[in-house]
Amino acid sequence: MKLNKGILFILLGASFFGFTPIFAKMGFSYGYSLGQINIVQMTISFILLWSFTLLKRSSFKGLNKNKVLQIMITGCFIGLTSIFYYGSMQYLPASLAIILIFQFVWIGIILEWIFSKIKPAPITILSIILILVGVFFASNVLNGDIQGLPLKGFIFGILSAFTYAGFIFFSGKVAVDVDPWTRSSLMVTGSTILVFVLFMHDIPSVLPLEKNLLTTAVGVSLFGAVLPPLFFAVGAPLVSGGIANILTSIELPIAILSASIILSETVTPLQWLGTAIILVAIVFNELGTNLFRIRKHY
């Protein structure tokens, strides 16, 4: 029963994250800038997470100046991911921006190799090749649909994958003994400060706060920065790490499906094939790696 609950919570968290492109695209359609959306989003996330943390009376045990600084720097990766991911959506279809950020899967494997000296197994290398094949089809390059799209959008998309992979990698290494809610709040503090510094010139244009900007930012904040971590925090301890990684991959089809239905973006059968290959590669890597470890153990 616990396993079923864990699976449900992780699926819900990943599904919520898949709806963030809708609100980001909505904000751009209203004419708001990348800076305006990020400023209000981070402010809302900051208020909500710290409110939860203080109301829950979360522990501050184990914190010191170094750990606070390390957690806040790790949180800057969240802010950068938000900037690059939404920035990519300014220039590219949401479905393509989603495909690009999902390259965090193989980038994370390379980070583990470089910083933790964990050499990828042959099955992992095969999974990376499959992911790249999936990207080739999912990007719709065969139909020439990416021609004419701004290079800036692709650069932002790939950068979002690197910063997201960096966040996942370092968040698993930094101050893991600190209360999860306290860590999350300190992380969002770091990302908020970063966003305010980078978009300082946009701060005056946010006030007075317009209804459309508030609606956009609340949607992006809830579905991107508040609800997913909340459900992951509850569900992740109830399942294995490998299963959790597989379950979170549901974000990819959910995001593309929502872009197709709600944003009326055209997603071809070839793109769905590419998406399916990426998902199969993720499952293949997680299950194959775990099976290899079990055999090695015995």
Side-chain angles (χ1 to χ4, degrees), residues 3 6-15 102 104 164 168 231-251 282-283 286-287 290:
L3 182 62
I7 289 172
L8 177 62
F9 285 134
I10 291 173
L11 285 175
L12 282 172
S15 298
F102 238 79
F104 79 86
Y164 191 38
I168 293 171
F231 280 91
F232 289 155
V234 176
L238 303 178
V239 299
S240 68
I243 294 297
N245 287 336
I246 292 171
L247 293 172
T248 54
S249 65
I250 196 176
E251 172 200 332
I282 294 170
V283 174
E286 293 297 337
L287 293 181
N290 290 335

Side-chain angles (χ1 to χ4, degrees), residues 28-252:
F28 293 133
S29 71
Y30 287 140
Y32 297 116
S33 69
L34 180 63
Q36 289 173 316
I37 293 172
N38 272 286
I39 287 168
V40 183
Q41 175 210 352
M42 287 302 171
T43 301
I44 293 170
S45 300
F46 176 89
I47 294 170
L48 288 176
L49 282 171
W50 273 113
S51 296
F52 283 134
T53 299
L54 296 175
L55 286 172
K56 280 173 57 61
R57 296 183 179 178
S58 299
S59 172
F60 289 83
K61 185 179 179 182
L63 279 178
N64 54 46
K65 288 183 180 179
N66 287 336
K67 284 188 178 181
V68 168
L69 185 61
Q70 288 172 356
I71 295 170
M72 288 176 66
I73 291 174
T74 302
C76 287
F77 282 96
I78 302 174
L80 288 172
T81 300
S82 177
I83 292 167
F84 293 139
Y85 186 33
Y86 303 148
S88 179
M89 288 185 200
Q90 275 188 304
Y91 305 99
L92 304 177
S95 54
L96 184 51
I98 294 155
I99 293 294
L100 291 174
I101 194 175
F102 238 79
Q103 302 317 297
F104 79 86
V105 176
W106 62 266
I107 293 171
I109 293 168
I110 292 176
L111 289 179
E112 286 280 358
W113 191 0
I114 294 173
F115 292 104
S116 299
K117 309 301 180 186
I118 300 175
K119 187 177 180 180
I123 198 167
T124 300
I125 295 173
L126 181 57
S127 298
I128 291 175
I129 294 171
L130 277 175
I131 288 172
L132 295 176
V133 171
V135 171
F136 178 76
F137 287 114
S139 63
N140 217 17
V141 67
L142 291 177
N143 290 335
D145 285 359
I146 67 171
Q147 293 179 8
L149 293 175
L151 179 61
K152 188 184 292 186
F154 290 94
I155 294 173
F156 278 155
I158 290 297
L159 286 174
S160 72
F162 273 96
T163 54
Y164 191 38
F167 166 69
I168 293 171
F169 178 79
F170 290 110
S171 65
K173 311 285 183 185
V174 173
V176 292
D177 57 323
V178 175
D179 184 282
W181 279 102
T182 304
R183 284 180 79 229
S184 297
S185 297
L186 287 171
M187 283 181 184
V188 82
T189 301
S191 62
T192 303
I193 292 171
L194 175 75
V195 165
F196 269 72
V197 170
L198 291 179
F199 295 108
M200 195 175 297
H201 61 283
D202 282 320
I203 295 175
S205 66
V206 169
L207 299 173
L209 189 60
E210 296 179 0
K211 181 183 176 182
N212 287 338
L213 179 56
L214 179 62
T215 302
T216 298
V218 167
V220 171
S221 178
L222 282 176
F223 286 89
V226 178
L227 291 176
L230 175 61
F231 280 91
F232 289 155
V234 176
L238 303 178
V239 299
S240 68
I243 294 297
N245 287 336
I246 292 171
L247 293 172
T248 54
S249 65
I250 196 176
E251 172 200 332
L252 181 58

